[in-house]
Amino acid sequence: MSRHNFKIVLLGEVTKGRVGKTSLTLRFVKNSFDDHQQSTIQATYLQKELRIGDKTVTISVWDTAGQERFHALGPIYYRNADGALLVYDVTDHDTFIRAKNWVKELRKVVGDDITITIAGNKSDMKNRQVSDEEVAEYAKSVGAVHLHTSAKANRNVDEAFLDLTKRILEKKSSAPSRTELLGKQNSGIIIDNTERRVTRTESRMYGKNGGISVADEPKTTQEQKQCCG
Amino acid sequence: MPKNLLEYEKDHNRLIIALRESKEHGSIMKFLKDKNATILVPHDQSMVLPENRMNVEFVQTHVIHANPEDGLHWTSMNGVKGCFSENYEVLSVLSGPPRGKDLMHFFENESAYLTKSDKKVEIKRIHVLRDSDIDINGTTYRIVLISEPIEYEGCDWSGPSLSAVTTPSTLRTMFSSGPSTPVNTAHEEDPPLASSSSYSTLKRSSSTLSVSSLAGSESDATDISCPPINFSSTKRPANALINELINMHNIPDNKLFSENERTQDKSKKFSFQDFVYKMRHKSAIGLVRKIKKFIFEINRDPYTDDVPNKVVSFLDEIAKEMSVHIQWKGAKEQELDNAREGIEKYVMTKIYSKVFSPTAQDQSQDHLLATRLSSFRKLKPEHLDIASELLTDSSCNQAVDELKKMNNYKTPRDKMICISNCCKIIFNILTRSNPKESPGADAFLPILIYLVMKANTPHLHSNLKYIMDFRNPEKMLSESGYFLTNLQSSAIFWETVDYTNLSINKQEYDKLINGQYFNDDEEEEKNLAPKNSVDQNEELEKATPVIVPDNYLFNKTIDYDDLKKIVDDFSHLNVNVNVDVDEIKIGELRGLFEQYVQFKKFFEQVSRLVEK
């Protein structure tokens, strides 16, 4: 059994309000939302062990400060990151714009090695400002996965982290086992011409929705859990 | 405890050696044989002995005879009474020796033994570590290895009566006034710098020590390790490295391993002592030699940019060798981790002065950053949108102290512990002000940034660089690695900040930051003077008297800042002048010449300043 230790950075704008990245992490790690928990732990660095198939993966989630004045400090945190979870607020379009800028920056600083998930948080709220089509198209164009999450309603929180971790794992293990990969081509794994491996999860998501929004389709996430597990 | 503890003690324990080798204990040996007595052996590191010999009283106190009626109760040869707990895990000392009796006939009197019905006033509880047999000069005796010597009121190996004769207790006194640690963020260890600087005092006090202590002693012959406490060091297979390890580590009191409760990896306790025990074993001699050789070479050769890589690969290599070494056979992951930590601690302490802030560029960057941080000292928490009441909390000072203290530690790990402590104090502050919400980075980072400015840690740039260069890379993904990253980003924030990054308008910014030199009142003038770290002061003391008398300099109107800058630039010069000329080795000449050149430069710069 192999062991892995992945670093995931958590990015989210702070302007008028918060996008809820802290609640999201806390929900994931403690599986409890802020309303009820009495907690003394900090939510800036969290570690959790996940079982993915026969692999044990430890992920360290690094929170970053979202204030505009600290944006220049980002690269210090991205260094050696395997994944990034970009959180925006579905009720605030500006935070989505900011998330897009982050994607650009991540690609510039870390390159294609970093696996990105974009999470539209507060998806339990009615007054959405960001349309599903917009995000789906955008996510697809940058090779990221998009999910609608709600820390409050505990929707898609585990899935967001789990899916990100799986994709990191797949990306990491694809390099040494290319031959194995080629052998499996028939079973539905696609290798695109830039040799980037499109995961089963991704390909199905792309295929099904033309976009990648899984937020309101719990069924899809269920399957997702099994497919790599 | 390591598996080999008992074997180690059998070979090295000074009490056992004394019984084995010393003729003066003949009567004790006879007693042991006749009475079928047991020897209580305080493990070697716990013994601090009066002067350089094994005191007869001390030996007699540790030779015990069990009550034939009740195996748990015992009386020592000089009549100290005590008992074992039912499970033999603990022993209690119940009363001191009778005075003025003929001790050799003590056991012939029935009242010599305690019984269950006796009234017991416990004097001391001691842990039983091992129970075994030992062969001394052909006879087998039972030994019980215990955690510390038996003491009673008035015995001359405990308490203040020692301080007059032994260095360790003097040191212990020094430590009691040492830096205290925050309540909920206890350090796992006592300050290594403090302990090793005390150790250097110790070294200097002994006339046989050579300048490069360990570095020069590639063979076992150069025994630099014999501080007065090792009364039998001439007989023991003296191992310089190991003795140093122990001295470095053992002198501070038992708080050594008190674990930081809030540390996430609670199970991963770091025990330097475990490491030391293993390294003391004969089988580890190859490793020890290799380590010594490496340290010697690093200290000998000029510093180059690939030194950090070299050091880290060496530490990894040694850790790898340890993992297959017989001493670590069957060791769990945590023990191996412990070994890696141990070797890092040891090597880094030994090469610290060489590799910390190694270049002139580092020193000037330190200076620039310190000046810059100092220029922002008038900023208020509001300028970073921190609710100002948060920082009225008294624990802010603690957090600042932790940051400052970082500079006083020598190992990357210890420095990182300071950083983590500071961060945890900040979390406490945040949680106290808002118990419902777990603080995230949005709330945390501004406070850290603000406190970094307030602390203005001496050599901040160099400290950060040193940790990044030398800390075990595997530890960088941990929580403390995260905190380190935050400290780095705080430093970078201050390096690049201007009014656009702050909640302040340009006019006010100019007034506060750029106009400060004109508006300072006297008290602030004092703050403006660059903050001196303890070690800088030490360097100053070491460096200046040789060149120019202090008061001569200051009576003239010399720009203090200029002078301070020069002193800062040369503060890395760490010269031990208490050297016996005859002991200087050829390999050290290069280093000495370099120091000479540095001193010449220093002198020239100071002279230029004086002439100006």
Side-chain angles (χ1 to χ4, degrees):
Chain A
M1 194 177 76
S2 47
R3 289 191 145 271
H4 298 270
N5 201 340
F6 296 146
K7 170 175 164 183
I8 294 174
V9 285
L10 199 59
L11 302 164
E13 174 78 6
V14 182
T15 42
K16 291 157 258 177
R18 294 186 181 170
V19 295
K21 61 188 160 68
T22 307
S23 319
L24 212 60
T25 341
L26 280 174
R27 170 65 91 184
F28 171 60
V29 172
K30 297 188 74 193
N31 212 18
S32 64
F33 187 64
D34 222 19
D35 286 351
H36 310 290
Q37 72 187 13
Q38 40 150 25
S39 147
T40 50
I41 63 159
Q42 42 88 7
T44 58
Y45 172 92
L46 297 160
Q47 219 176 37
K48 188 158 175 162
E49 207 165 85
L50 303 174
R51 294 267 315 173
I52 293 184
D54 62 343
K55 297 191 174 79
T56 306
V57 182
T58 308
I59 59 169
S60 325
V61 183
W62 292 40
D63 195 8
T64 60
Q67 292 94 326
E68 175 74 37
R69 66 166 58 107
F70 302 131
H71 283 168
L73 305 175
I76 307 162
Y77 294 88
Y78 314 151
R79 189 179 44 207
N80 302 325
D82 304 292
L85 185 66
L86 275 55
V87 187
Y88 73 94
D89 178 349
V90 292
T91 66
D92 181 351
H93 195 272
D94 288 351
T95 61
F96 178 61
I97 301 292
R98 181 58 218 165
K100 281 166 130 180
N101 288 336
W102 257 313
V103 173
K104 257 186 235 156
E105 194 177 297
L106 283 170
R107 291 288 180 230
K108 209 170 90 191
V109 175
V110 198
D112 284 340
D113 287 345
I114 191 160
T115 308
I116 300 176
T117 288
I118 305 170
N121 198 29
K122 304 194 184 173
S123 63
D124 55 305
M125 309 277 269
K126 295 270 186 279
N127 50 335
R128 291 197 188 177
Q129 279 191 9
V130 187
S131 78
D132 289 3
E133 296 74 43
E134 186 187 359
V135 289
E137 201 177 312
Y138 174 73
K140 190 178 175 184
S141 71
V142 293
V145 163
H146 176 269
L147 296 102
H148 277 126
T149 57
S150 166
K152 195 169 186 178
N154 195 10
R155 187 195 297 160
N156 261 344
V157 177
D158 287 359
E159 287 80 357
F161 284 97
L162 212 61
D163 172 63
L164 179 58
T165 311
K166 277 181 193 166
R167 282 160 52 225
I168 296 171
L169 193 62
E170 281 165 18
K171 189 173 252 172
K172 299 273 165 190
S173 47
S174 64
S177 58
R178 256 193 82 217
T179 42
E180 191 195 349
L181 210 70
L182 289 165
K184 277 186 189 171
Q185 239 175 332
N186 298 338
S187 63
I189 296 168
I190 304 153
I191 299 171
D192 64 19
N193 48 11
T194 60
E195 293 199 349
R196 192 180 79 84
R197 183 183 173 191
V198 179
T199 68
R200 267 182 282 176
T201 317
E202 269 178 293
S203 60
R204 187 174 49 223
M205 284 164 137
Y206 288 134
K208 247 190 179 174
N209 301 337
I212 332 152
S213 186
V214 291
D216 302 320
E217 294 172 52
K219 233 181 163 182
T220 318
T221 22
Q222 279 300 316
E223 288 165 35
Q224 218 177 298
K225 265 188 178 171
Q226 290 157 5
C227 70
C228 301
Chain B
M1 283 292 165
K3 281 176 200 158
N4 62 321
L5 172 67
L6 192 63
E7 292 309 313
Y8 170 77
E9 291 288 344
K10 281 182 181 175
D11 289 343
H12 298 88
N13 191 287
R14 285 168 287 169
L15 176 58
I16 295 174
I17 292 172
L19 289 171
R20 194 180 284 146
E21 296 181 359
S22 169
K23 289 186 180 71
E24 93 184 278
H25 301 312
S27 65
I28 296 173
M29 297 312 290
K30 185 170 180 297
F31 178 90
L32 271 169
K33 208 181 273 180
D34 292 350
K35 294 281 180 183
N36 199 15
T38 301
I39 314 164
L40 294 177
V41 183
H43 83 90
D44 198 49
Q45 307 317 312
S46 70
M47 283 193 280
V48 175
L49 295 168
E51 297 177 23
N52 289 346
R53 60 196 178 78
M54 189 61 72
N55 180 309
V56 175
E57 186 83 6
F58 182 86
V59 181
Q60 288 188 341
T61 304
H62 290 85
V63 172
I64 61 161
H65 188 264
N67 182 349
E69 306 291 314
D70 173 4
L72 293 179
H73 290 90
W74 50 263
T75 304
S76 81
M77 202 173 156
N78 58 348
V80 175
K81 294 174 186 176
C83 66
F84 290 102
S85 65
E86 294 278 345
N87 53 12
Y88 268 95
E89 281 175 1
V90 178
L91 65 85
S92 311
V93 183
L94 301 169
S95 69
R99 306 285 175 189
K101 287 194 180 180
D102 183 355
L103 296 172
M104 293 313 290
H105 300 290
F106 187 75
F107 287 95
E108 286 159 21
N109 182 345
E110 276 186 18
S111 67
Y113 296 108
L114 282 166
T115 60
K116 275 176 184 164
S117 57
D118 276 339
K119 200 176 75 182
K120 291 163 190 168
V121 182
E122 211 167 89
I123 294 183
K124 192 168 185 179
R125 282 165 74 85
I126 293 170
H127 288 278
V128 173
L129 304 176
R130 297 284 189 283
D131 191 345
S132 174
D133 292 325
I134 188 172
D135 184 272
I136 297 179
N137 305 335
T139 315
T140 304
Y141 302 99
R142 181 180 169 208
I143 59 167
V144 175
L145 192 61
I146 55 178
S147 60
E148 57 193 297
I150 288 176
E151 287 173 4
Y152 50 85
E153 209 186 324
C155 68
D156 61 0
W157 54 91
S158 82
S161 57
L162 273 175
S163 58
V165 281
T166 59
T167 323
S169 48
T170 325
L171 294 178
R172 201 169 284 162
T173 327
M174 284 166 57
F175 281 110
S176 59
S177 60
S180 62
T181 47
V183 188
N184 51 0
T185 54
H187 272 287
E188 291 170 62
E189 289 160 60
D190 279 88
L193 180 68
S195 71
S196 43
S197 65
S198 311
Y199 176 59
S200 62
T201 326
L202 195 91
K203 282 200 295 185
R204 264 180 241 134
S205 69
S206 165
S207 59
T208 58
L209 299 175
S210 67
V211 56
S212 60
S213 52
L214 185 93
S217 58
E218 274 198 274
S219 73
D220 287 74
T222 324
D223 186 5
I224 48 94
S225 66
C226 312
I229 43 170
N230 289 335
F231 83 108
S232 65
S233 53
T234 45
K235 288 174 189 164
R236 296 159 74 195
N239 183 326
L241 168 71
I242 293 309
N243 284 325
E244 266 191 81
L245 285 170
I246 282 164
N247 289 322
M248 265 165 59
H249 196 64
N250 255 19
I251 293 161
D253 55 29
N254 288 333
K255 276 185 281 172
L256 278 176
F257 305 119
S258 72
E259 190 67 18
N260 184 346
E261 268 189 14
R262 292 175 60 94
T263 310
Q264 270 202 344
D265 39 5
K266 213 172 178 176
S267 57
K268 293 175 191 165
K269 279 191 189 175
F270 170 50
S271 161
F272 196 56
Q273 212 155 19
D274 271 7
F275 169 71
V276 167
Y277 275 126
K278 290 200 159 76
M279 292 299 277
R280 282 189 90 153
H281 195 266
K282 272 178 256 160
S283 65
I285 193 100
L287 278 177
V288 170
R289 288 222 170 109
K290 203 166 165 179
I291 294 163
K292 283 203 271 186
K293 183 164 176 282
F294 181 77
I295 292 170
F296 173 74
E297 284 168 1
I298 290 289
N299 281 322
R300 179 196 61 194
D301 299 337
Y303 182 88
T304 54
D305 286 344
D306 65 336
V307 163
N309 276 336
K310 242 172 149 172
V311 172
V312 173
S313 342
F314 176 77
L315 295 176
D316 284 340
E317 185 192 318
I318 292 290
K320 217 171 179 180
E321 275 183 43
M322 283 170 167
S323 68
V324 293
H325 194 274
I326 188 139
Q327 277 294 89
W328 282 268
K329 196 180 170 189
K332 296 198 182 72
E333 202 178 320
Q334 197 241 309
E335 274 176 87
L336 293 175
D337 184 61
N338 198 50
R340 176 66 173 74
E341 295 285 16
I343 189 65
E344 179 177 301
K345 182 184 168 103
Y346 182 71
V347 171
M348 292 321 296
T349 309
K350 287 285 139 193
I351 63 173
Y352 185 73
S353 55
K354 181 82 180 190
V355 301
F356 181 81
S357 199
T359 66
Q361 202 199 347
D362 289 319
Q363 289 142 32
S364 78
Q365 266 178 275
D366 279 342
H367 184 70
L368 281 175
L369 183 56
T371 316
R372 192 156 166 87
L373 288 176
S374 163
S375 74
F376 289 110
R377 75 193 185 284
K378 283 188 176 176
L379 285 182
K380 302 255 169 343
E382 300 89 276
H383 297 135
L384 284 164
D385 296 331
I386 304 166
S388 55
E389 69 268 15
L390 279 177
L391 297 184
T392 54
D393 197 309
S394 65
S395 31
C396 272
N397 295 334
Q398 284 184 351
V400 165
D401 285 347
E402 288 291 335
L403 283 179
K404 285 185 184 166
K405 232 160 56 179
M406 171 176 65
N407 188 51
N408 300 345
Y409 288 79
K410 281 191 178 177
T411 70
R413 179 175 179 276
D414 287 310
K415 287 177 188 287
M416 279 176 91
I417 290 175
C418 291
I419 300 171
S420 298
N421 283 347
C422 167
C423 295
K424 284 168 182 172
I425 296 169
I426 296 176
F427 291 128
N428 283 349
I429 295 172
L430 284 165
T431 313
R432 266 203 300 275
S433 83
N434 184 0
K436 278 189 192 154
E437 208 173 306
S438 297
D442 300 338
F444 160 74
L445 186 63
I447 300 185
L448 179 66
I449 286 181
Y450 188 77
L451 295 182
V452 164
M453 181 269 287
K454 284 287 167 198
N456 201 345
T457 308
H459 307 290
L460 181 56
H461 155 81
S462 293
N463 274 297
L464 285 168
K465 184 177 167 217
Y466 174 79
I467 302 171
M468 293 300 290
D469 280 353
F470 295 107
R471 181 65 175 140
N472 182 358
E474 277 183 23
K475 302 286 175 184
M476 287 301 180
L477 265 191
S478 68
E479 187 185 50
S480 55
Y482 173 75
F483 293 146
L484 173 70
T485 304
N486 278 284
L487 183 63
Q488 271 184 311
S489 72
S490 304
I492 291 172
F493 179 83
W494 289 116
E495 276 169 2
T496 54
V497 73
D498 64 24
Y499 70 95
T500 57
N501 302 105
L502 299 164
S503 302
I504 192 171
N505 61 39
K506 192 170 186 313
Q507 286 80 4
E508 210 187 328
Y509 179 85
D510 285 342
K511 202 176 121 198
L512 279 183
I513 311 304
N514 302 328
Q516 60 195 349
Y517 291 97
F518 309 105
N519 298 334
D520 281 334
D521 59 35
E522 230 191 333
E523 202 220 359
E524 276 162 337
E525 197 66 53
K526 252 183 240 161
N527 293 337
L528 179 65
K531 289 169 187 173
N532 287 327
S533 69
V534 178
D535 67 338
Q536 277 176 350
N537 280 336
E538 275 174 11
E539 302 297 344
L540 187 65
E541 277 164 25
K542 265 185 220 159
T544 43
V546 192
I547 320 289
V548 200
D550 282 350
N551 44 6
Y552 169 73
L553 276 177
F554 289 108
N555 284 340
K556 291 212 166 195
T557 49
I558 286 171
D559 188 331
Y560 176 77
D561 283 343
D562 285 354
L563 180 64
K564 180 76 176 63
K565 190 180 176 306
I566 296 174
V567 173
D568 275 352
D569 287 347
F570 287 90
S571 65
H572 61 290
L573 276 177
N574 188 7
V575 180
N576 181 3
V577 287
N578 294 349
V579 182
D580 191 341
V581 176
D582 295 329
E583 290 199 37
I584 295 174
K585 299 183 180 64
I586 288 175
E588 291 157 2
L589 285 178
R590 180 195 285 268
L592 286 172
F593 181 72
E594 270 165 19
Q595 284 175 353
Y596 169 76
V597 171
Q598 291 288 315
F599 265 118
K600 192 160 186 313
K601 280 187 195 156
F602 177 81
F603 182 69
E604 282 166 5
Q605 290 193 20
V606 175
S607 312
R608 230 173 287 146
L609 193 66
V610 173
E611 280 160 24
K612 226 173 31 183

